[in-house]
Protein backbone atom coordinates (compact mmCIF):
# COMPACT_ATOMS: atom_id res chain seq x y z
CA UNK A 1 0.00 0.00 0.00
CA UNK A 2 1.34 3.42 -0.92
CA UNK A 3 0.84 6.65 1.02
CA UNK A 4 -1.57 7.89 -1.67
CA UNK A 5 -3.60 4.67 -1.50
CA UNK A 6 -3.78 4.86 2.30
CA UNK A 7 -4.83 8.51 2.25
CA UNK A 8 -7.51 7.79 -0.35
CA UNK A 9 -8.77 4.86 1.73
CA UNK A 10 -8.93 6.97 4.88
CA UNK A 11 -10.79 9.82 3.17
CA UNK A 12 -13.31 7.44 1.56
CA UNK A 13 -13.94 5.18 4.56
CA UNK A 14 -13.35 7.58 7.46
CA UNK A 15 -14.92 10.85 6.26
CA UNK A 16 -13.73 12.69 9.37
CA UNK A 17 -10.14 12.38 8.10
CA UNK A 18 -11.15 14.21 4.93
CA UNK A 19 -12.87 16.98 6.92
CA UNK A 20 -9.72 17.26 9.06
CA UNK A 21 -7.62 17.45 5.86
CA UNK A 22 -5.46 14.63 7.24
CA UNK A 23 -2.64 13.48 5.00
CA UNK A 24 -0.23 10.57 5.01
CA UNK A 25 3.19 12.09 5.62
CA UNK A 26 5.18 8.88 5.98
CA UNK A 27 4.42 5.21 5.50
CA UNK A 28 7.17 2.67 6.07
CA UNK A 29 7.44 -0.71 7.77
CA UNK A 30 6.72 -0.27 11.46
CA UNK A 31 5.73 3.39 11.22
CA UNK A 32 2.91 5.59 9.91
CA UNK A 33 2.87 9.37 10.23
CA UNK A 34 -0.23 11.43 9.54
CA UNK A 35 -0.45 15.22 9.51
CA UNK A 36 -3.24 17.78 9.57
CA UNK A 37 -3.41 21.56 9.36
CA UNK A 38 -4.67 23.77 12.18
CA UNK A 39 -7.52 25.55 10.34
CA UNK A 40 -10.09 22.70 10.11
CA UNK A 41 -9.06 21.43 13.56
CA UNK A 42 -9.02 24.68 15.53
CA UNK A 43 -10.50 25.13 18.99
CA UNK A 44 -11.75 28.18 20.89
CA UNK A 45 -8.18 28.91 22.11
CA UNK A 46 -6.85 29.08 18.51
CA UNK A 47 -5.02 25.77 18.99
CA UNK A 48 -5.65 22.20 17.86
CA UNK A 49 -8.90 20.73 19.21
CA UNK A 50 -8.11 17.77 21.49
CA UNK A 51 -10.64 15.59 19.67
CA UNK A 52 -8.84 16.21 16.38
CA UNK A 53 -5.49 15.34 17.94
CA UNK A 54 -6.90 12.15 19.46
CA UNK A 55 -8.52 11.23 16.13
CA UNK A 56 -5.27 11.73 14.22
CA UNK A 57 -3.33 9.61 16.73
CA UNK A 58 -5.96 6.85 16.71
CA UNK A 59 -6.11 6.86 12.92
CA UNK A 60 -2.32 6.71 12.57
CA UNK A 61 -2.17 3.76 14.96
CA UNK A 62 -5.06 1.96 13.22
CA UNK A 63 -3.38 2.62 9.86
CA UNK A 64 -0.15 1.05 11.08
CA UNK A 65 -1.87 -2.20 12.03
CA UNK A 66 -3.96 -2.25 8.85
CA UNK A 67 -1.10 -1.56 6.45
CA UNK A 68 1.15 -4.12 8.12
CA UNK A 69 -1.58 -6.74 7.78
CA UNK A 70 -1.92 -5.88 4.08
CA UNK A 71 1.86 -6.20 3.66
CA UNK A 72 1.80 -9.55 5.46
CA UNK A 73 -1.10 -10.62 3.19
CA UNK A 74 -3.27 -11.43 6.18
CA UNK A 75 -6.98 -10.62 6.08
CA UNK A 76 -8.18 -8.83 9.19
CA UNK A 77 -10.69 -6.29 10.37
CA UNK A 78 -8.97 -3.94 12.80
CA UNK A 79 -10.81 -2.13 15.60
CA UNK A 80 -9.64 -0.22 18.64
CA UNK A 81 -10.48 -1.73 22.00
CA UNK A 82 -9.12 0.90 24.38
CA UNK A 83 -6.70 3.79 24.50
CA UNK A 84 -5.10 6.46 26.65
CA UNK A 85 -4.11 9.93 25.53
CA UNK A 86 -1.86 12.44 27.29
CA UNK A 87 -1.52 16.01 26.07
CA UNK A 88 1.72 17.69 27.17
CA UNK A 89 1.88 20.88 25.08
CA UNK A 90 -0.68 22.94 23.16
CA UNK A 91 -0.45 22.65 19.39
CA UNK A 92 -0.81 25.93 17.55
CA UNK A 93 -0.16 24.86 13.96
CA UNK A 94 0.09 21.87 11.66
CA UNK A 95 0.30 18.76 13.82
CA UNK A 96 1.47 15.20 13.31
CA UNK A 97 0.86 11.75 14.76
CA UNK A 98 3.62 9.17 14.32
CA UNK A 99 2.45 5.64 15.11
CA UNK A 100 4.82 2.80 15.94
CA UNK A 101 4.90 -0.53 17.71
CA UNK A 102 6.38 -0.06 21.20
CA UNK A 103 7.24 -3.77 21.16
CA UNK A 104 8.04 -4.72 17.53
CA UNK A 105 8.81 -8.27 18.60
CA UNK A 106 5.07 -8.67 19.36
CA UNK A 107 4.13 -8.36 15.67
CA UNK A 108 4.98 -11.93 14.55
CA UNK A 109 3.09 -13.32 17.56
CA UNK A 110 0.12 -11.08 16.69
CA UNK A 111 0.02 -12.37 13.10
CA UNK A 112 0.43 -15.98 14.23
CA UNK A 113 -2.43 -15.63 16.72
CA UNK A 114 -4.67 -14.01 14.10
CA UNK A 115 -4.02 -16.85 11.67
CA UNK A 116 -4.44 -19.57 14.27
CA UNK A 117 -7.34 -18.28 16.37
CA UNK A 118 -8.98 -15.72 14.10
CA UNK A 119 -8.46 -12.96 16.66
CA UNK A 120 -5.40 -11.12 17.96
CA UNK A 121 -4.59 -8.06 20.06
CA UNK A 122 -1.63 -5.65 19.84
CA UNK A 123 -0.57 -2.40 21.47
CA UNK A 124 0.34 0.57 19.27
CA UNK A 125 1.81 3.90 20.40
CA UNK A 126 1.71 7.29 18.73
CA UNK A 127 3.53 10.51 19.39
CA UNK A 128 1.83 13.81 18.64
CA UNK A 129 4.04 16.70 17.60
CA UNK A 130 3.80 20.29 16.43
CA UNK A 131 6.60 22.68 15.49
CA UNK A 132 9.14 19.93 16.14
CA UNK A 133 8.06 19.45 19.75
CA UNK A 134 6.41 16.40 21.28
CA UNK A 135 2.90 17.50 22.20
CA UNK A 136 1.20 14.32 23.30
CA UNK A 137 1.29 10.56 23.69
CA UNK A 138 -1.23 7.91 22.64
CA UNK A 139 -1.33 4.25 23.48
CA UNK A 140 -4.02 1.99 22.11
CA UNK A 141 -4.90 -1.65 22.11
CA UNK A 142 -6.17 -2.88 18.76
CA UNK A 143 -7.95 -6.11 17.97
CA UNK A 144 -7.87 -7.78 14.57
CA UNK A 145 -10.52 -10.26 13.57
CA UNK A 146 -9.89 -12.66 10.71
CA UNK A 147 -12.24 -11.35 7.99
CA UNK A 148 -11.70 -14.54 5.96
CA UNK A 149 -13.39 -16.79 8.51
CA UNK A 150 -17.08 -17.56 8.54
Amino acid sequence: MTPIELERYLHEHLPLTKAMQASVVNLKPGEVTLGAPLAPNINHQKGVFGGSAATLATTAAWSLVQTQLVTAEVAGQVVIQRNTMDFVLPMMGTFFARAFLPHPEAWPKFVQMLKRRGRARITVSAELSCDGQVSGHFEGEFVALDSGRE
Side-chain angles (χ1 to χ4, degrees):
M1 180 174 279
T2 68
I4 292 170
E5 290 169 333
L6 175 57
E7 188 171 314
R8 186 179 306 124
Y9 181 89
L10 293 174
H11 288 184
E12 288 175 10
H13 297 279
L14 301 170
L16 180 56
T17 63
K18 187 174 184 178
M20 291 174 60
Q21 297 177 19
S23 62
V24 177
V25 176
N26 188 21
L27 173 60
K28 63 183 182 181
E31 188 175 304
V32 171
T33 303
L34 303 181
L38 174 63
N41 299 289
I42 200 161
N43 67 15
H44 64 292
Q45 297 290 326
K46 307 289 187 228
V48 173
F49 174 59
S52 292
T55 297
L56 197 68
T58 303
T59 304
W62 177 90
S63 295
L64 176 60
V65 177
Q66 188 64 47
T67 57
Q68 291 213 170
L69 284 175
V70 168
T71 300
E73 298 180 351
V74 178
Q77 296 178 357
V78 180
V79 295
I80 189 164
Q81 185 174 35
R82 69 176 61 98
N83 75 284
T84 59
M85 186 85 215
D86 294 313
F87 297 97
V88 295
L89 287 175
M91 295 174 281
M92 307 303 283
T94 298
F95 61 109
F96 303 90
R98 182 182 65 86
F100 57 94
L101 297 173
H103 306 286
E105 69 279 3
W107 182 258
K109 295 173 190 172
F110 170 78
V111 171
Q112 181 183 30
M113 184 67 71
L114 181 57
K115 287 178 177 179
R116 191 173 63 212
R117 300 236 172 134
R119 181 183 175 104
R121 182 175 292 123
I122 195 161
T123 299
V124 181
S125 295
E127 183 178 88
L128 285 167
S129 64
C130 182
D131 294 327
Q133 294 188 307
V134 174
S135 304
H137 304 279
F138 166 95
E139 185 171 281
E141 196 167 287
F142 290 82
V143 175
L145 305 170
D146 185 342
S147 58
R149 291 189 181 204
E150 295 180 5

